[in-house]
Each structure stands twice: as structure tokens, then as C-alpha cells.
Amino acid sequence: MAENFLIKQETYLEAGIHIGTKLKVVDMNPFIYRVRNDGLYVLDLRKIDERIRMAGKLLAKYEPNEVMVVASRTYSGNAASVFSAVTGIKVFQGRFIPGILTNVARADFMEPKILLICDPRSERQAVTEAGTMGIPIVGLCDSDNITTFVDWVIPCNNKGRRSLALIFYLLAREYLMGKGKIASYDEFQKPLAAFEAEPGEETAVAEGAAAPAAAEESVKAAVQEEPSDAAHLEGQSPKASGKPEEKVEVKPAEAAATVAPAEKVEAPKEEVAAPSEEKHAHAHKKKEE
């Protein structure tokens, strides 16, 4: 069965998507695989995979403006925002204000055709309003969640960052596949790490990846300029180099020629002065005698 999973089984296990809580409600009995020695309930990995797959196909039947995601927790909100950027589906983050789905007089009134919630307990207000309005609900449910009004349960660890990132990664990929935006999983370009990143981290990573490329371009540009400088020093014509001023500045021969005459002029002065001093000394000697 492992080869039929949406992603490698090891990736599921590393994300801890199957690790529940130490509490269990009757609603989640069909999705419990076993209980660990430490008291944590383990969810059935095959059912998790199957339900994510079906949820992606279900959401793909709707246009992005007909779907709404409610993510009240920080980790779910981060992953859901990337999901929104990939699919175009609207995400409501933070506290769900009463009346958004039921009060038509509100300026922020919304009327989605299907709702995706990340935690039935934290988003109970949204679940209640959607149930009242007859809006179908897809819910990420842990072992301790009551599933009243939830039409399609995705059993999972709905509190861990990596688990939520993996779920939204798979849902985004399945949604795009269902809409015909990608023909295969290989065409899905958004990495799983982007769904795990905190706000701003993705931009920092992108800038870090762009820096080496910019440095490489600078090196290439410098290498391309070096031959023209060498040719310039060897006496290349101004027309070929395009820098006539630099050719005049770097002529060492002209600089040497400017200094040389000064040295040659000073030398004769010393030679002329020597005989005159010698004659003066000889005359002074005669006078003393």
C-alpha cells in the first residue's frame, strides 16, 4: 500500500501527521490505529492519505472564490497562507468573528460554497455558522475533536507545524491536479519547506538563493572586462578600447621622459661648480703666501 501513498511513507512519519493526543472521542474511533505506551493515540496512516486525496478532489470541484479556509492557529495560518498563494483560495486567519457567514448586513459577510477548517474546537464558531447555513465542511480533526457538522473528516495531527504544512502541501497539489493546472506531481513547483516556513522566512531564503547568483554574474562581468584592460595597456587604439583617456594616463614611458631631463640638467651644474671652487681655493693659497 505504501507505493500508493500521495507521498513517501517516511515523510508522513517524519512530519508526525499520525500522532494524536492522549484523549479520544467517539467520533474519531474509526480513525484510531492503536494506543502507544505513553498514552498517545496513533491515527491510521492509510486513512489519512485516502482522506487527503479525496478532500483535494472534492475542493477541486469548486472555483477558488467559492472555497474558504479558516485557520485560527499560528501554524495552520502560516501553511494556509502559502496554500492560498498557490491556489488562489481565500484564507481567514485569526479569531472568527460571529456573523461572517450568517449576517448579510456585515461588510465582511461571506458566502462560500464549501469550508475547510483546521481545528473544530478552535474554529467552533465557523463550524456552527456553516452548519446553520448548510455549507459543507472539510475538517482537519485530531483524536480529541468532535466532528459535529463536519462532512468530511481528515484525521491528522492538526497542531504540529510540520504536520499542517504537509497537509496543505498535499491539498494544494491535489487541488491543482484536479483543476488541470498541472499534469503531474513533478510540475508542482512549491517546495514543502515553503509551507513550513514562518512569515518572512520564505523571502529570506529566496534572497539568500539569489545572492550567489548575483555574485556569479559580477565575477563573469569582471572577467569579461579584464581582456579589454590588458589590451589597453599594450597600446590598443582608443577606437578599439573605447577608453581614450585611460590610455594617456597609464603611459609609463612618458612619465620617465618627463623626469629624465631634470636629472640631466642638475648634473652639469655640479660639474661646473667644482672647477670654480678649486680656482678659488688656489687663489686664496697664493694670497696667504
Side-chain angles (χ1 to χ4, degrees):
M1 288 294 293
E3 62 272 12
N4 295 324
F5 283 171
L6 292 171
I7 202 166
K8 290 181 180 179
Q9 183 175 341
E10 292 77 9
T11 305
Y12 274 136
L13 299 177
E14 289 172 1
I17 196 173
H18 62 304
I19 304 300
T21 68
K22 291 186 177 182
L23 299 175
K24 181 193 70 171
V25 296
V26 178
D27 295 359
M28 294 299 293
N29 271 340
F31 309 108
I32 302 298
Y33 178 67
R34 69 181 181 90
V35 185
R36 295 198 326 190
N37 294 333
D38 57 3
L40 288 172
Y41 285 92
V42 178
L43 301 167
D44 192 328
L45 198 57
R46 290 187 177 88
K47 292 184 178 179
I48 293 172
D49 181 85
E50 172 193 334
R51 295 218 154 215
I52 291 175
R53 187 192 305 270
M54 292 302 297
K57 292 180 179 179
L58 175 62
L59 293 174
K61 295 182 180 294
Y62 298 88
E63 295 302 318
N65 60 353
E66 296 175 333
V67 185
M68 179 179 175
V69 178
V70 179
S72 59
R73 295 176 180 269
T74 302
Y75 290 159
S76 60
N78 294 342
S81 62
V82 181
F83 171 82
S84 175
V86 172
T87 62
I89 293 174
K90 179 176 176 57
V91 175
F92 188 96
Q93 293 183 252
R95 177 176 175 269
F96 192 86
I97 303 171
I100 289 179
L101 299 178
T102 55
N103 187 355
V104 295
R106 290 186 60 92
D108 56 356
F109 172 74
M110 302 179 69
E111 198 172 7
K113 291 186 177 180
I114 189 168
L115 192 70
L116 172 61
I117 61 165
C118 300
D119 187 346
R121 179 183 292 107
S122 301
E123 291 134 25
R124 181 172 52 188
Q125 183 64 35
V127 172
T128 302
E129 292 189 16
T132 302
M133 300 301 293
I135 300 171
I137 301 174
V138 176
L140 309 184
C141 301
D142 212 329
S143 63
D144 59 349
N145 285 136
I146 297 173
T147 62
T148 305
F149 292 130
V150 178
D151 299 283
W152 187 256
V153 173
I154 300 178
C156 64
N157 171 3
N158 63 5
K159 301 173 182 64
R161 181 175 71 170
R162 297 185 66 187
S163 173
L164 288 164
L166 181 56
I167 292 167
F168 276 105
Y169 169 83
L170 295 173
L171 286 176
R173 196 179 67 180
E174 291 301 305
Y175 182 82
L176 294 183
M177 280 282 289
K179 300 298 288 183
K181 299 290 182 66
I182 57 174
S184 68
Y185 291 158
D186 294 335
E187 295 181 17
F188 188 70
Q189 299 297 321
K190 205 71 172 178
L192 176 58
F195 290 80
E196 295 179 4
E198 297 286 346
E201 284 184 4
E202 188 180 356
T203 304
V205 170
E207 290 176 353
E216 186 178 349
E217 290 298 326
S218 300
V219 171
K220 287 181 180 179
V223 170
Q224 290 174 359
E225 289 176 1
E226 283 177 4
S228 67
D229 291 341
H232 184 70
L233 293 174
E234 290 172 3
Q236 182 181 350
S237 65
K239 185 176 180 181
S241 65
K243 299 179 181 178
E245 295 82 7
E246 292 181 5
K247 184 177 179 181
V248 176
E249 290 176 2
V250 293
K251 269 192 171 180
E254 292 181 6
T258 307
V259 177
E263 294 176 353
K264 289 179 181 179
V265 171
E266 290 175 2
K269 287 182 179 178
E270 293 177 359
E271 292 174 0
V272 173
S276 128
E277 288 175 1
E278 188 177 342
K279 287 180 181 180
H280 180 72
H282 184 66
H284 182 68
K285 188 176 180 181
K286 281 184 176 184
K287 187 177 180 180
E288 287 177 353
E289 290 174 355

